[in-house]
Amino acid sequence: MKRIKQLLCLLLAVMMLTALFTACGSTSTDDDSTGDASVDSDTTVDTVEDDEEEEAELIELSVAYMPNYASLWSVLTAMDQGYFEEEGLSVSLVEFADGPTIIAAMEGGSIDFGYIGNGAHKLCVQGNATIICMSHIGNADAVIGGPDVTSLEDLAGKTVAYSSGTSSETILLLALESVGLTMDDITAMDMDSTSMVTAMLSGSVDACAVWSPASLTILEEDESCTLLCDNSTFSDTSISIASWIVTPEYLEENEEVAVKFVRALLKGMTYAADEANYEYVAELVATQCATDYDTAYEQRGDGEWYTADMISEAIEDGSMEAYYQLQQDAMLSGGTIEEDDACEVSTYVAFDIMTEALSE
C-alpha cells in the first residue's frame, strides 16, 4: 500500500509539472502575439506620420508669370503633371503685367521665382536678377500700325504706345533704328499691354509696340491695322529670349531649391514642347488666364519651345551664352544699357544651376 501511495504521489507531481509548463508556454505565446500586434500598430502609426510629414515638408513657392502662352507653357505643365511635387515643391502662381514689375516684387520678397520677357533682361545685366533657366526664343513681340501707319517709316511724327523696360520697348527701338528714326522722332506713350489694345482699337494712338496675345487681339479686331514687324524681322542682329529668374540674394540662400525648381521646369518644358501636347497646354493656359481656348492655342507659335535636351546642348556647345551675349549687345547698341553695365554673361546667367538640374 505504501508503495502504491508513493507511485500515486509521483504521478500527481508529474501531471502538475506538465500543466505548469504548458501554461507557461501558452503565456509566452500570448505575450509574443500581443507584442507582434503592438509592433504592427506602431508601424502603421509611424507610416501615417511619415506620410503626413512628407506632405508637410513641401516647400511653398510664389512664382510670378504674365498672362500668355509663352510665360505659362512650361510652368503650368510642370504643375499639372506633378513635376514640382516630385521635387518636394508646391507652386502658387501670381500674375503680373510685365517683367520689371515682377523683379520689383522679387526684390520686395513677395515672389521667389519669376518669368521675364526679352526687355526685362537689362535688369539681369545690371545685377538685379539672376537667370536660372532659359525658357525659349520668342517671336511674340510686334510693332503694329493703325490705318495711317502702313510702314515703319510712317512712324515718324506719330503717337506710338509702348511699355518701357519691357520687350515692347526693345522691339520699338529696333524698328525705329532700322529706318533711321529714334524715340525723339515719335510721340511715345508709356502704357501697359491692356491699355494699348484699348488705345489702338479706339484710335487714340497711331501705332503700338506690344506682345502676344494683345498683338493678336488688335490685328483680329481691327482689319485696318498692319503688322509692321516682329522679332523675326531682326533675327540677324537681335534675339528675343525669355528666362526664369531669381534675385541673387535668394539664389545664394536657396541654391538647392533653385535646382529642384529648374529640374521640374525642364520636365515641363520637354512635355509641353511636343507638338502632340500643344492642345493640352493651350487648355491649361486658357483656364489660367480665363480666356477662350482658341486665343490660347493661337499663341503656340510665339516661340521656339526648348526641351531639356535642347537646353543641355545649348549649354555644351556655347550657343546659349552666345544668345545672351547677342541680347546684351543689342541692349548696348540700342541704348537700353550703358557701357558700364556691360559684363560677362556668366555673371548673371547661372549655367551651373541648369547643369546640375540636368544631371539627374
Side-chain angles (χ1 to χ4, degrees):
M1 180 65 69
K2 185 176 180 181
R3 178 67 175 173
I4 292 174
K5 287 182 178 181
Q6 288 177 339
L7 289 172
L8 287 173
C9 288
L10 180 61
L11 181 60
L12 182 60
V14 170
M15 290 174 64
M16 290 178 64
L17 285 171
T18 301
L20 179 62
F21 285 130
T22 301
C24 288
S26 175
T27 301
S28 175
T29 301
D30 289 344
D31 287 344
D32 289 344
S33 176
T34 303
D36 289 342
S38 175
V39 169
D40 289 342
S41 175
D42 289 343
T43 301
T44 302
V45 171
D46 288 343
T47 301
V48 171
E49 288 177 350
D50 287 344
D51 289 342
E52 290 177 350
E53 284 177 9
E54 187 174 341
E55 269 186 44
E57 287 175 1
L58 285 178
I59 300 170
E60 296 184 2
L61 300 174
S62 293
V63 177
Y65 75 99
M66 287 176 268
N68 55 53
Y69 190 105
S71 177
L72 290 164
W73 70 287
S74 57
V75 69
L76 277 182
T77 301
M79 291 174 68
D80 194 62
Q81 292 293 315
Y83 298 145
F84 286 117
E85 289 185 4
E86 289 175 5
E87 296 296 331
L89 307 176
S90 174
V91 168
S92 296
L93 295 177
V94 185
E95 182 178 325
F96 287 83
D98 54 63
T101 308
I102 287 173
I103 293 175
M106 294 173 71
E107 291 175 331
S110 62
I111 294 296
D112 301 308
F113 295 88
Y115 166 94
I116 59 170
N118 190 55
H121 282 70
K122 74 174 185 180
L123 295 173
C124 298
V125 177
Q126 293 170 340
N128 297 76
T130 299
I131 296 163
I132 55 170
C133 189
M134 177 178 164
S135 173
H136 61 275
I137 295 176
N139 190 37
D141 308 313
V143 177
I144 299 173
D148 298 325
V149 181
T150 58
S151 69
L152 290 176
E153 287 84 358
D154 291 341
L155 291 172
K158 298 297 193 297
T159 300
V160 183
Y162 81 112
S163 181
S164 62
T166 71
S167 57
S168 162
E169 181 179 19
T170 301
I171 196 165
L172 178 57
L173 290 171
L174 288 168
L176 293 171
E177 183 183 9
S178 70
V179 291
L181 300 176
T182 69
M183 292 290 276
D184 293 332
D185 297 311
I186 64 172
T187 300
M189 293 188 66
D190 196 349
M191 60 180 71
D192 62 38
S193 60
T194 302
S195 299
M196 277 190 248
V197 174
T198 303
M200 282 294 291
L201 297 180
S202 68
S204 58
V205 297
D206 300 305
C208 72
V210 71
W211 55 81
S212 178
S215 56
L216 298 175
T217 300
I218 294 168
L219 292 170
E220 287 173 1
E221 296 193 15
D222 190 342
E223 294 183 356
S224 68
C225 290
T226 303
L227 175 65
L228 303 178
C229 66
D230 57 21
N231 299 113
S232 63
T233 307
F234 311 106
S235 59
D236 57 334
T237 58
S238 178
I239 189 168
S240 179
I241 309 174
S243 303
W244 286 93
I245 60 169
V246 295
T247 62
E249 295 77 17
Y250 182 92
L251 183 58
E252 184 177 353
E253 297 175 3
N254 301 277
E255 184 174 321
E256 184 178 349
V257 175
V259 171
K260 290 176 180 291
F261 180 84
V262 173
R263 186 180 296 125
L265 196 65
L266 289 169
K267 292 178 183 177
M269 290 167 65
T270 299
Y271 190 94
D274 187 338
E275 289 186 20
N277 297 322
Y278 283 0
E279 293 182 2
Y280 159 81
V281 177
E283 289 282 6
L284 294 178
V285 173
T287 300
Q288 181 67 32
C289 298
T291 187
D292 61 280
Y293 168 80
D294 290 339
T295 297
Y297 189 65
E298 285 176 3
Q299 298 171 55
R300 70 193 184 282
D302 286 350
E304 180 183 358
W305 313 118
Y306 270 56
T307 65
D309 286 344
M310 292 170 69
I311 291 290
S312 178
E313 183 178 350
I315 293 173
E316 290 177 7
D317 66 16
S319 57
M320 184 183 294
E321 184 172 5
Y323 292 153
Y324 281 111
Q325 186 61 59
L326 179 59
Q327 180 191 54
Q328 184 182 156
D329 292 343
M331 292 179 195
L332 191 58
S333 63
T336 55
I337 62 171
E338 303 295 332
E339 285 282 357
D340 291 343
D341 296 323
C343 59
E344 294 291 331
V345 167
S346 59
T347 62
Y348 61 92
V349 179
F351 295 108
D352 58 328
I353 296 295
M354 286 180 269
T355 301
E356 187 173 349
L358 286 161
S359 66
E360 295 184 17

